[in-house]
Amino acid sequence: MEKRQSDMTLPNGDIYVGAFEGSLPHRMGRYTWSDGTVYEGEWDKGKMTGRGQISWLTGATYEGDFAGGYRHGCGTFSGADGAVYDGAWRMNVQHGLGRKIFPNSDTYEGHWKEGVIEGTGTYKWSCGNTYIGNWKGGKMCGRGLMKWANGDLYDGLWLDGLKHGSGSYKFADGAYYVGTWSKGLKDGLGTFFPAGSKLSYLSQYFVCDKNCDCKPSLEKCEDKKPSFRRTLSEKLLINALFRNSGRISSRSASLDGWSHSNSIKNVLLPDFPSSLSCASGKDQEEVEGGALVYVREYMQGILVAETIQTNVAELLNRNRRQRKWQKKEVKRSGETIHKGHSSYYLMLNLQLGIRYTVGKITPVPMREVRFCDFGPQARISMYFPRKGSQFTPAHNSIGFHWKDYCPMVFRNLREMFKIDAADYMMSICGVDGLRELSSPGKSGSIFYLSQDERFIIKTLRKYELKVLLKMLPGYYNHVQTYDNTLITKFFGLHQITLRGSRKVRFVVMGNMFCTELRIHRRYDLKGSSQGRSTNKCKIDETTTLKDLDLSYAFRLEKSWRESLFKQISLDCMFLESQCIIDYSLLLGLHFRAPDHLKAVVEPQDILRATDFIADDDGFLLLDPLCQSKGLLLVTHKPDSVSSLPGSHIRGGTLRAPSTGDKEVDLLLPGTGRLRVQLGINMPAQAIKRLQHDGSNSGAEDRFEVYDVVLYLGIIDILQEYNITKKIEHACKSLQFDPMTISAVEPKFYAKRFIDFLEKVFPEEI
């Protein structure tokens, strides 16, 4: 029976004014929480349901639809920071079509999924840049068009916010480049049309039916002001054109005054029709008469070859016959786990468990860890039946028991490395699943890689889990004390128990090779020599090589080398205190110069580690001998560095004495700045001694010098020097030199490890 009570104060201090059904708020009413939050609107048996308005003490407000106590439907949220979102909601998060104005005045209009930009939409930066196209996980991904404020325009494929695949780049001065990109860098063959070539069909993207003066773009004419929803439908129509993997249809597509006409049967040069009917008569004559274009080949942003092509018609026709517009295959290591894969249900269980525990620990107020937060008893345990329970959702996997060890400790570690909880769950628990990697070592562990490659998940043996729990207090203090530590970064420790009492243990780690640059060589260096080589017949970019395979020495800026070995010594002291051995330095190399651009020099010509020279643009070159000029150092600008940080990044930016001891970024041609940190994005010279042919025994040594970017860190830190290792040391010492085997006592292992690395990174050659 419905009754009305003008004012009711609840035992917890909340106040409700409005209609009731029994003892529950029903229909219209106003509810004021003790913390100052106020809701005024419709109720349904104690739940906010219908239209209403809620305001928080911070100044944030929401007006729109509610269902079951959640913001659900359509509504407008105004944040305390000035952000405004108007659109669809699902269970308190943006989901569906919506428009958001960010605090920095950026705007996005398009699709959202679980609070993240995903689908099709338009993003306009306050600086004047505009992107229209596909999104995934909050990043530009798929087909899209980017227009910069300076007039440059790119139409093509994207991946993780970077140009990746086939595309066409139009410069503000009228020049064009058509080719392929790899993670933001030109990579492979392409065609460059210089400004003034008068190939007018290149600039005819859209024709305005109104004959107005507005510039060719994907925006509506100025005299049109359609509603919010109509604008979205227009953008979706644009994206439908984008998804066409072949030529864009010659059938006109009206677009709020713009019509996409026959004049651009294909603006993407590799697939022009043979008739070239898009050009005017005068331009057609110029094309047939031999307009000047350049065929270029790039390797990771470096121009390695260029030829001049005068017969444009022949070039375009040949490109049309040889290839059509298609998405460039993304080469990714590992096998994507899909339904039917042996690890499929294990992956689902892991993702479900991480979502549950991260979601449970994140709302807990941040605090310093305590003694009780460590150890095997500090854990969250839960059973996840297939049909769900009072505390767990139903799922499509098999029932399993879940343990999350030391959740508060790992939560603080994630906060320490500025890893957002939502990003963490999206990376590991997203719909794309994980990728399974083949094990590079002898441990037999299985490795999984998150789709965005920020995190690696490794299976552990029981003794490894015990070692990690034992060393975790010391590890936490070490990582907290030393921002630049090179030791593996751990972000979660979990255990899944399946039917039959089978237990699988996992640790989540940061991937130090999460970078826009291609890793051409990988080395696992221990400092021992027994069994430390790789079968030469099986080497490719994904192969992890060993100590005896390393044929390079690396020259670093003097102060950087000192900082590197100071940190390595501190890390080894910590591992020695924990009786840890068998750890190694994982080293990744990105070569900026292809083989035919390497410099062959005499010993006296090799630069000293402190030598830099000034470029015409004020940049600093690490090596003037290498003609590629691939390594440029510039003064650090926090707002300009790459938007793709790895999950291992935390320490400060390195300083270069040659810049007046200022923090520096690495600037690579064709991509953005990369922040130079200890073990991350470190420019260096890789020096390889050339072998004599034996004809001249008195000849001096000669060297090949490469520009490289280094990534390095200390991994595999979960092996104690226990009784098993002592027995292994005794047995192997009978067969081999005790100084060359891996199983040695911790103090000697650390000294040998550092001594070996000092030869890898020498002060002098």
Side-chain angles (χ1 to χ4, degrees):
M1 178 178 178
E2 183 179 330
K3 63 178 182 178
R4 184 169 186 83
Q5 183 170 328
S6 60
D7 193 340
M8 179 178 180
T9 302
L10 303 179
N12 60 1
D14 296 351
I15 300 173
Y16 175 75
V17 178
F20 286 84
E21 182 173 293
S23 60
L24 300 175
H26 191 65
R27 295 192 178 176
M28 295 298 296
R30 176 188 175 91
Y31 195 103
T32 304
W33 282 266
S34 57
D35 63 0
T37 304
V38 178
Y39 170 79
E40 186 170 3
E42 297 178 281
W43 294 79
D44 183 22
K45 298 179 180 178
K47 301 276 188 179
M48 296 179 291
T49 302
R51 295 289 295 181
Q53 181 175 354
I54 188 169
S55 58
W56 290 268
L57 193 60
T58 60
T61 62
Y62 171 80
E63 183 176 1
D65 296 332
F66 290 82
Y70 296 96
R71 300 190 295 274
H72 192 90
C74 292
T76 302
F77 177 86
S78 300
D81 58 359
V84 178
Y85 172 80
D86 179 18
W89 294 79
R90 188 174 78 175
M91 303 289 284
N92 280 349
V93 297
Q94 299 115 321
H95 189 89
L97 292 173
R99 183 176 187 271
K100 182 171 182 177
I101 302 175
F102 295 87
N104 61 358
S105 300
D106 292 357
T107 62
Y108 172 76
E109 187 175 348
H111 278 92
W112 297 75
K113 183 176 181 180
E114 301 293 342
V116 178
I117 296 174
E118 187 157 328
T120 55
T122 301
Y123 195 105
K124 296 183 179 181
W125 284 265
S126 57
C127 62
N129 299 340
T130 301
Y131 172 82
I132 303 175
N134 292 316
W135 296 79
K136 188 171 185 180
K139 296 179 180 179
M140 298 173 286
C141 193
R143 184 73 185 278
L145 186 146
M146 180 80 172
K147 185 176 181 180
W148 285 268
N150 65 358
D152 288 2
L153 187 144
Y154 171 79
D155 182 6
L157 298 173
W158 299 77
L159 179 68
D160 294 332
L162 300 169
K163 297 185 287 290
H164 192 90
S166 301
S168 172
Y169 195 104
K170 177 188 176 184
F171 297 88
D173 63 1
Y176 275 85
Y177 177 79
V178 182
T180 57
W181 279 258
S182 177
K183 293 185 176 180
L185 299 170
K186 296 187 184 76
D187 198 11
L189 288 172
T191 307
F192 177 71
F193 293 77
S197 61
K198 298 182 181 179
L199 299 177
S200 60
Y201 53 86
L202 292 175
S203 61
Q204 294 177 0
Y205 272 83
F206 288 87
V207 179
C208 180
D209 290 339
K210 300 284 185 181
N211 293 319
C212 60
D213 294 330
C214 48
K215 297 180 181 180
S217 69
L218 296 185
E219 300 178 9
K220 57 188 177 294
C221 295
E222 295 297 332
D223 60 342
K224 293 277 187 174
K225 295 182 179 180
S227 66
F228 164 68
R229 296 192 181 277
R230 181 179 176 186
T231 304
L232 282 175
S233 66
E234 292 167 354
K235 299 302 187 293
L236 296 180
L237 178 56
I238 292 171
N239 192 72
L241 297 175
F242 280 179
R243 287 196 297 268
N244 189 334
S245 60
R247 292 191 191 86
I248 301 175
S249 171
S250 61
R251 203 176 297 173
S252 296
S254 182
L255 204 65
D256 190 23
W258 291 102
S259 65
H260 194 292
S261 70
N262 292 345
S263 63
I264 56 159
K265 287 185 179 178
N266 195 344
V267 298
L268 306 169
L269 296 179
D271 191 22
F272 266 105
S274 58
S275 63
L276 291 174
S277 60
C278 54
S280 67
K282 182 178 179 181
D283 292 333
Q284 179 73 27
E285 291 176 4
E286 182 168 351
V287 169
E288 293 175 350
L292 188 67
V293 298
Y294 299 86
V295 177
R296 294 177 173 177
E297 182 178 0
Y298 287 85
M299 181 177 291
Q300 284 278 285
I302 299 175
L303 180 63
V304 298
E306 180 181 78
T307 59
I308 297 176
Q309 179 73 35
T310 57
N311 194 330
V312 182
E314 179 183 346
L315 171 67
L316 299 179
N317 290 335
R318 184 174 70 247
N319 287 344
R320 179 178 180 271
R321 291 192 299 268
Q322 289 179 350
R323 64 175 183 174
K324 292 186 177 180
W325 176 274
Q326 58 184 8
K327 183 177 181 179
K328 181 180 180 181
E329 291 186 5
V330 180
K331 293 183 179 179
R332 292 190 172 189
S333 55
E335 177 187 2
T336 300
I337 300 175
H338 50 77
K339 192 168 185 179
H341 192 282
S342 58
S343 299
Y344 178 69
Y345 290 112
L346 193 62
M347 178 193 73
L348 293 183
N349 294 347
L350 176 67
Q351 292 176 325
L352 185 61
I354 288 178
R355 276 196 298 265
Y356 175 82
T357 50
V358 173
K360 187 172 183 177
I361 197 68
T362 299
V364 176
M366 189 71 177
R367 62 171 175 81
E368 279 297 320
V369 294
R370 305 164 184 160
F371 178 78
C372 60
D373 293 321
F374 295 95
Q377 301 306 315
R379 66 193 185 203
I380 296 175
S381 299
M382 183 63 63
Y383 178 62
F384 287 80
R386 182 183 177 90
K387 295 182 179 179
S389 67
Q390 181 181 356
F391 304 103
T392 63
H395 55 89
N396 297 323
S397 184
I398 55 179
F400 65 98
H401 291 271
W402 170 262
K403 287 183 182 178
D404 183 80
Y405 291 98
C406 306
M408 182 57 72
V409 176
F410 288 108
R411 181 261 179 94
N412 281 19
L413 285 171
R414 293 192 295 269
E415 293 277 352
M416 202 180 293
F417 287 91
K418 296 179 174 56
I419 297 175
D420 181 73
D423 291 342
Y424 183 72
M425 289 190 288
M426 181 69 70
S427 177
I428 298 175
C429 309
V431 295
D432 291 332
L434 306 174
R435 302 205 302 277
E436 184 174 302
L437 307 175
S438 58
S439 173
K442 299 179 181 179
S443 64
S445 298
I446 300 174
F447 291 81
Y448 302 99
L449 186 64
S450 62
Q451 283 292 332
D452 61 5
E453 301 186 0
R454 292 183 66 195
F455 303 99
I456 289 179
I457 302 168
K458 177 186 176 183
T459 60
L460 300 179
R461 296 181 179 179
K462 185 177 181 180
Y463 78 85
E464 291 178 312
L465 183 141
K466 290 182 177 180
V467 169
L468 181 51
L469 288 174
K470 179 182 175 182
M471 72 182 293
L472 193 57
Y475 172 87
Y476 183 88
N477 291 332
H478 182 79
V479 171
Q480 189 177 42
T481 304
Y482 301 106
D483 288 356
N484 294 312
T485 179
L486 300 172
I487 291 178
T488 303
K489 311 307 185 295
F490 296 122
F491 301 121
L493 183 61
H494 317 290
Q495 177 178 287
I496 292 174
T497 305
L498 305 172
R499 286 178 298 194
S501 298
R502 178 194 168 203
K503 294 178 180 174
V504 186
R505 304 162 191 90
F506 300 92
V507 63
V508 182
M509 307 177 292
N511 176 19
M512 70 178 63
F513 291 161
C514 178
T515 171
E516 295 139 328
L517 303 182
R518 182 184 302 164
I519 303 298
H520 296 112
R521 280 290 181 267
R522 306 158 192 258
Y523 292 92
D524 183 275
L525 307 175
K526 290 180 181 288
S528 59
S529 57
Q530 188 59 45
R532 300 297 294 164
S533 61
T534 308
N535 188 337
K536 299 297 188 293
C537 300
K538 300 179 179 179
I539 294 178
D540 58 25
E541 281 191 11
T542 62
T543 304
T544 302
L545 305 174
K546 300 179 182 178
D547 302 62
L548 298 180
D549 304 314
L550 183 63
S551 57
Y552 302 100
F554 301 98
R555 297 296 302 275
L556 290 170
E557 201 280 331
K558 184 177 180 180
S559 63
W560 297 355
R561 184 185 183 277
E562 292 173 354
S563 298
L564 177 65
F565 278 96
K566 180 180 178 181
Q567 188 59 57
I568 289 176
S569 298
L570 289 169
D571 291 339
C572 287
M573 286 175 57
F574 163 71
L575 296 174
E576 182 184 334
S577 71
Q578 302 294 318
C579 292
I580 300 297
I581 63 169
D582 263 355
Y583 49 87
S584 56
L585 185 85
L586 184 61
L587 174 64
L589 309 180
H590 170 78
F591 287 87
R592 288 305 298 168
D595 285 345
H596 62 283
L597 287 182
K598 62 179 176 284
V600 180
V601 299
E602 305 297 336
Q604 65 272 16
D605 294 329
I606 297 179
L607 288 177
R608 295 182 57 85
T610 56
D611 286 344
F612 288 77
I613 66 171
D615 183 74
D616 294 337
D617 297 323
F619 301 132
L620 296 174
L621 303 183
L622 185 62
D623 180 13
L625 296 173
C626 183
Q627 299 303 312
S628 69
K629 293 188 178 181
L631 297 179
L632 306 177
L633 291 178
V634 295
T635 304
H636 175 60
K637 292 184 178 179
D639 297 334
S640 301
V641 296
S642 166
S643 59
L644 185 66
S647 55
H648 57 290
I649 292 178
R650 175 166 170 247
T653 305
L654 290 179
R655 300 173 182 270
S658 301
T659 64
D661 204 35
K662 295 180 180 178
E663 295 180 339
V664 292
D665 295 333
L666 177 61
L667 183 65
L668 302 179
T671 188
R673 296 167 179 253
L674 300 175
R675 184 182 176 195
V676 181
Q677 296 177 267
L678 200 65
I680 306 160
N681 301 322
M682 293 184 70
Q685 292 176 333
I687 302 173
K688 182 177 182 180
R689 188 187 302 270
L690 297 178
Q691 299 293 330
H692 294 305
D693 57 9
S695 59
N696 187 359
S697 58
E700 292 186 2
D701 290 338
R702 302 181 75 206
F703 299 89
E704 289 179 351
V705 180
Y706 300 83
D707 279 343
V708 295
V709 183
L710 302 182
Y711 299 85
L712 53 93
I714 298 175
I715 63 168
D716 295 338
I717 64 170
L718 299 180
Q719 178 59 63
E720 272 189 320
Y721 189 61
N722 51 23
I723 186 64
T724 303
K725 285 295 179 180
K726 292 178 181 178
I727 295 173
E728 180 184 340
H729 173 77
C731 294
K732 287 188 176 181
S733 296
L734 299 175
Q735 307 175 52
F736 311 106
D737 182 352
M739 302 299 177
T740 65
I741 61 178
S742 181
V744 294
E745 61 92 16
K747 186 173 183 179
F748 177 77
Y749 190 98
K751 183 180 184 305
R752 184 182 64 185
F753 180 71
I754 295 174
D755 290 345
F756 175 75
L757 294 182
E758 286 179 340
K759 297 176 183 177
V760 176
F761 300 94
E763 286 186 297
E764 301 292 342
I765 297 295

